[in-house]
């Protein structure tokens, strides 16, 4: 098809806008990466840093040799992996019965669940609840309170509603119960939407620092993001963190910690991103 002059101009306009957005998003990443790999003199140089002109690995060596960073990294990986898996399990168990028309009072249950999206107990009541449950200073405080996302569960429910009931009826004739139908039929057919929800949950767990600041007083159990916030944003000193030497600059160490925090989730994202559009669009077709 031949494009009209106006369509060609519009396409070039979109290309320019998207290119500018890419530059705005990619440059900060390259800037921080460049500083983390630069010498102190190069890191302190004002101006644009697209690549390190003088490479130095001192900052990365200091970060990777610090026990507190690896301990926080392990806590973050634990909450991300376990929290994401458990979220998918519990959301699937909630979404499957709500997607079936034969569930008594299904509409009432769905309404009660949706209400939780608009109203919350507040910060102080939530803290008192967490404390009464004995989750203060426990790593499970990162997982249990946010185990089910209402929005994600409703998307999963809508996806389940689009799966033909004939498959379920056929399985029941062969003697399968609801758990077996969910595990062996519904879940395998829902790979796109489950991958999308897993990506959302993993990114949320990986980036979350607020719950660690509220509920975790034990420094050995804080997440990597809270440690990063204390060093970079709040600019607080931490005796467990490496002290820059004469060969280093504090900006180099902070940049290395930022990259160390961001790289794992950036590596995982491309493997799940291809499911993103398909999972969201299919899961949003039915109400």
């Amino acid at each position: 098809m031949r494009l009209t002059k106006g369509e060609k101009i519009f396409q070039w306009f979109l290309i320019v806008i998207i290119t500018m957005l890419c530059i705005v998003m990619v440059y900060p990443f390259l800037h921080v990466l460049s500083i983390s790999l630069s010498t102190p003199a190069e890191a302190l140089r004002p101006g644009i840093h697209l690549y390190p002109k003088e490479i130095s690995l001192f900052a990365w060596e200091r970060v990777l040799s610090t026990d507190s960073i690896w301990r926080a990294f392990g806590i973050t990986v634990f909450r991300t992996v376990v929290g994401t898996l458990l979220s998918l399990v519990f959301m699937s168990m909630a979404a499957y019965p709500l997607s079936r028309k034969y569930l008594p009072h299904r509409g009432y249950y769905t309404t009660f669940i949706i209400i939780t999206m608009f109203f919350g107990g507040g910060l102080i009541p939530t803290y008192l609840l967490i404390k009464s449950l004995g989750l203060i200073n426990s790593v499970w405080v990162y997982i249990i309170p946010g185990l089910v996302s209402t929005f994600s569960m409703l998307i999963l429910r809508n996806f389940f509603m689009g799966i033909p009931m004939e498959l379920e009826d056929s399985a029941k004739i062969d003697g399968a119960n609801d758990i077996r139908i969910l595990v062996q039929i519904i879940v395998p057919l829902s790979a796109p939407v489950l991958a999308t929800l897993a990506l959302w949950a993993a990114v949320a767990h990986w980036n979350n620092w607020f719950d660690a600041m509220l509920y975790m007083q034990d420094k050995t159990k804080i997440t990597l993001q809270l440690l990063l916030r204390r060093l970079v944003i709040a600019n607080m000193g931490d005796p467990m963190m490496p002290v820059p030497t004469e060969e280093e600059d504090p900006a180099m160490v902070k940049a290395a910690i930022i990259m160390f925090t961001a790289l794992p989730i950036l590596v995982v994202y491309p493997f799940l991103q291809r499911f993103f559009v398909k999972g969201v669009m299919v899961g949003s077709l039915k109400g």
Side-chain angles (χ1 to χ4, degrees), residues 182-217:
L182 174 62
V183 174
Q184 296 186 355
I185 297 178
I186 304 298
V187 169
L189 293 175
S190 307
V193 70
L194 289 174
T196 301
L197 300 183
L199 176 63
W200 289 355
V203 172
H205 276 293
W206 187 267
N207 292 332
N208 199 345
W209 55 269
F210 191 64
D211 52 3
M213 184 182 70
L214 289 178
Y215 309 126
M216 192 60 62
Q217 301 170 0

Coordinates of all heavy atoms in Angstrom, one line a residue, residues 182-217:
L182 N -7.6 -27.7 37.0 CA -6.9 -26.5 37.1 C -5.4 -26.7 36.7 O -4.8 -25.9 36.0 CB -7.0 -25.9 38.5 CG -6.2 -24.6 38.8 CD1 -6.6 -23.5 37.9 CD2 -6.4 -24.2 40.2
V183 N -4.8 -27.7 37.3 CA -3.3 -27.9 37.2 C -3.0 -28.4 35.8 O -2.0 -27.9 35.2 CB -2.8 -28.9 38.3 CG1 -1.3 -29.2 38.0 CG2 -3.0 -28.2 39.6
Q184 N -3.7 -29.4 35.3 CA -3.3 -30.0 34.0 C -4.0 -29.5 32.8 O -3.5 -29.7 31.7 CB -3.7 -31.5 34.1 CG -2.9 -32.2 35.2 CD -3.1 -33.7 35.2 OE1 -3.9 -34.3 34.4 NE2 -2.4 -34.5 36.1
I185 N -5.0 -28.7 32.9 CA -5.7 -28.2 31.7 C -5.7 -26.6 31.7 O -5.2 -26.0 30.7 CB -7.2 -28.7 31.6 CG1 -7.2 -30.2 31.5 CG2 -7.9 -28.0 30.5 CD1 -8.6 -30.8 31.5
I186 N -6.2 -26.0 32.7 CA -6.4 -24.6 32.7 C -5.0 -23.8 32.8 O -4.8 -22.9 32.0 CB -7.2 -24.1 33.9 CG1 -8.6 -24.8 33.9 CG2 -7.4 -22.6 33.9 CD1 -9.4 -24.5 32.7
V187 N -4.1 -24.2 33.7 CA -2.8 -23.5 33.8 C -2.0 -23.7 32.6 O -1.4 -22.7 32.1 CB -2.1 -24.1 35.1 CG1 -0.7 -23.6 35.1 CG2 -2.8 -23.6 36.3
P188 N -1.8 -24.9 32.0 CA -1.0 -24.9 30.7 C -1.6 -24.0 29.6 O -0.8 -23.5 28.8 CB -1.1 -26.4 30.3 CG -1.3 -27.1 31.6 CD -2.2 -26.2 32.4
L189 N -2.9 -23.9 29.5 CA -3.5 -23.1 28.5 C -3.4 -21.6 28.8 O -3.6 -20.7 27.9 CB -5.0 -23.4 28.3 CG -5.3 -24.8 27.7 CD1 -6.8 -25.1 27.7 CD2 -4.7 -25.0 26.3
S190 N -3.0 -21.2 30.0 CA -2.9 -19.8 30.4 C -1.5 -19.3 30.5 O -1.2 -18.4 31.3 CB -3.6 -19.7 31.8 OG -4.9 -20.2 31.7
A191 N -0.5 -20.0 29.8 CA 0.9 -19.6 29.9 C 1.1 -18.1 29.6 O 1.8 -17.4 30.3 CB 1.7 -20.5 29.0
P192 N 0.5 -17.5 28.6 CA 0.7 -16.1 28.3 C 0.4 -15.2 29.4 O 1.1 -14.3 29.8 CB -0.1 -15.8 27.0 CG -0.3 -17.2 26.4 CD -0.4 -18.1 27.5
V193 N -0.9 -15.3 29.9 CA -1.3 -14.4 31.0 C -0.5 -14.7 32.3 O -0.2 -13.7 33.0 CB -2.8 -14.5 31.2 CG1 -3.2 -15.8 31.8 CG2 -3.3 -13.4 32.0
L194 N -0.2 -15.9 32.6 CA 0.6 -16.2 33.8 C 2.0 -15.6 33.7 O 2.5 -15.1 34.7 CB 0.6 -17.7 34.0 CG -0.7 -18.4 34.4 CD1 -0.5 -19.9 34.5 CD2 -1.1 -17.9 35.8
A195 N 2.6 -15.7 32.5 CA 3.9 -15.1 32.3 C 3.8 -13.6 32.5 O 4.7 -12.9 33.1 CB 4.4 -15.4 30.9
T196 N 2.8 -12.9 32.0 CA 2.6 -11.5 32.2 C 2.5 -11.1 33.6 O 3.1 -10.2 34.1 CB 1.4 -11.0 31.4 OG1 1.5 -11.3 30.0 CG2 1.2 -9.5 31.5
L197 N 1.6 -11.9 34.4 CA 1.4 -11.6 35.8 C 2.7 -11.9 36.6 O 2.9 -11.2 37.6 CB 0.2 -12.4 36.3 CG -1.1 -12.1 35.6 CD1 -2.2 -13.0 36.3 CD2 -1.5 -10.7 35.7
A198 N 3.4 -12.9 36.2 CA 4.7 -13.2 36.8 C 5.6 -12.0 36.7 O 6.4 -11.7 37.6 CB 5.3 -14.5 36.3
L199 N 5.7 -11.4 35.5 CA 6.5 -10.3 35.2 C 6.1 -9.1 36.1 O 7.0 -8.5 36.8 CB 6.5 -9.9 33.8 CG 7.2 -8.6 33.4 CD1 8.7 -8.9 33.6 CD2 7.0 -8.3 31.9
W200 N 4.8 -8.8 36.2 CA 4.4 -7.8 37.1 C 4.8 -8.0 38.5 O 5.3 -7.1 39.2 CB 2.9 -7.6 37.0 CG 2.4 -7.1 35.7 CD1 3.2 -6.6 34.7 CD2 1.0 -6.9 35.3 NE1 2.4 -6.2 33.6 CE2 1.1 -6.4 33.9 CE3 -0.2 -7.2 35.8 CZ2 -0.1 -6.1 33.2 CZ3 -1.3 -7.0 35.1 CH2 -1.3 -6.4 33.8
A201 N 4.5 -9.2 39.0 CA 4.8 -9.5 40.4 C 6.3 -9.5 40.7 O 6.7 -9.0 41.7 CB 4.2 -10.9 40.8
A202 N 7.1 -10.0 39.8 CA 8.5 -10.0 40.0 C 9.1 -8.6 40.0 O 9.9 -8.3 40.9 CB 9.2 -10.9 38.9
V203 N 8.7 -7.8 39.1 CA 9.2 -6.4 39.1 C 8.7 -5.7 40.4 O 9.5 -4.9 41.0 CB 8.7 -5.7 37.9 CG1 9.0 -4.2 37.9 CG2 9.3 -6.3 36.6
A204 N 7.5 -5.9 40.8 CA 7.0 -5.3 42.0 C 7.8 -5.7 43.3 O 8.2 -4.9 44.1 CB 5.5 -5.6 42.2
H205 N 8.1 -7.0 43.4 CA 8.9 -7.5 44.5 C 10.3 -7.0 44.4 O 10.9 -6.6 45.4 CB 8.9 -9.0 44.5 CG 7.7 -9.7 45.1 ND1 7.5 -9.6 46.5 CD2 6.7 -10.4 44.6 CE1 6.4 -10.2 46.8 NE2 5.8 -10.7 45.7
W206 N 10.9 -7.0 43.2 CA 12.3 -6.6 43.1 C 12.5 -5.1 43.4 O 13.5 -4.7 44.0 CB 12.8 -6.9 41.7 CG 14.2 -6.6 41.5 CD1 14.9 -5.5 41.1 CD2 15.3 -7.6 41.8 NE1 16.2 -5.7 41.1 CE2 16.5 -6.9 41.5 CE3 15.3 -8.9 42.3 CZ2 17.7 -7.6 41.7 CZ3 16.5 -9.5 42.4 CH2 17.7 -8.9 42.2
N207 N 11.5 -4.2 43.1 CA 11.7 -2.8 43.3 C 11.2 -2.3 44.6 O 11.4 -1.1 44.9 CB 11.0 -2.1 42.1 CG 11.7 -2.2 40.8 OD1 12.9 -2.5 40.7 ND2 10.9 -2.2 39.7
N208 N 10.5 -3.1 45.3 CA 9.8 -2.7 46.6 C 10.8 -2.5 47.7 O 11.7 -3.4 47.9 CB 8.7 -3.6 47.0 CG 7.7 -3.0 48.0 OD1 8.0 -1.9 48.5 ND2 6.6 -3.7 48.2
W209 N 10.8 -1.3 48.3 CA 11.6 -1.1 49.5 C 10.8 -0.6 50.7 O 11.3 -0.6 51.8 CB 12.7 0.0 49.1 CG 12.1 1.3 48.6 CD1 11.8 1.6 47.3 CD2 11.6 2.4 49.4 NE1 11.2 2.8 47.2 CE2 11.1 3.4 48.5 CE3 11.6 2.7 50.8 CZ2 10.5 4.6 48.9 CZ3 11.1 3.9 51.2 CH2 10.5 4.8 50.3
F210 N 9.6 -0.1 50.4 CA 8.8 0.5 51.4 C 8.5 -0.4 52.6 O 8.5 -0.1 53.8 CB 7.6 1.2 50.8 CG 6.8 2.1 51.8 CD1 7.4 3.2 52.2 CD2 5.5 1.8 52.2 CE1 6.7 4.1 53.1 CE2 4.9 2.6 53.0 CZ 5.5 3.8 53.5
D211 N 8.1 -1.6 52.2 CA 7.7 -2.6 53.3 C 8.9 -3.0 54.1 O 8.8 -3.2 55.3 CB 7.1 -3.8 52.7 CG 7.9 -4.5 51.6 OD1 9.0 -3.9 51.3 OD2 7.4 -5.5 51.0
A212 N 10.1 -3.0 53.5 CA 11.3 -3.3 54.3 C 11.6 -2.2 55.3 O 12.1 -2.4 56.4 CB 12.5 -3.5 53.4
M213 N 11.4 -0.9 54.8 CA 11.6 0.2 55.7 C 10.6 0.2 56.9 O 11.0 0.6 58.0 CB 11.5 1.5 54.9 CG 11.8 2.8 55.7 SD 11.6 4.3 54.8 CE 9.8 4.3 54.6
L214 N 9.4 -0.2 56.7 CA 8.4 -0.2 57.7 C 8.5 -1.3 58.7 O 8.4 -1.1 59.9 CB 7.0 -0.2 57.1 CG 6.5 1.0 56.3 CD1 5.1 0.7 55.7 CD2 6.5 2.2 57.2
Y215 N 8.7 -2.5 58.2 CA 8.6 -3.7 59.0 C 9.9 -4.4 59.4 O 9.8 -5.4 60.2 CB 7.7 -4.7 58.3 CG 6.4 -4.2 57.8 CD1 6.0 -4.3 56.5 CD2 5.5 -3.5 58.7 CE1 4.8 -3.8 56.0 CE2 4.3 -3.0 58.2 CZ 3.9 -3.1 56.9 OH 2.8 -2.6 56.4
M216 N 11.0 -4.0 58.8 CA 12.2 -4.7 59.0 C 13.2 -3.8 59.8 O 13.7 -2.8 59.3 CB 12.9 -5.2 57.7 CG 14.0 -6.1 57.9 SD 13.5 -7.7 58.7 CE 12.3 -8.3 57.6
Q217 N 13.5 -4.2 61.1 CA 14.4 -3.5 61.9 C 15.8 -4.2 61.9 O 16.8 -3.6 62.4 CB 13.9 -3.4 63.3 CG 12.5 -2.7 63.4 CD 11.9 -2.7 64.7 OE1 12.4 -3.4 65.6 NE2 10.7 -2.1 64.9

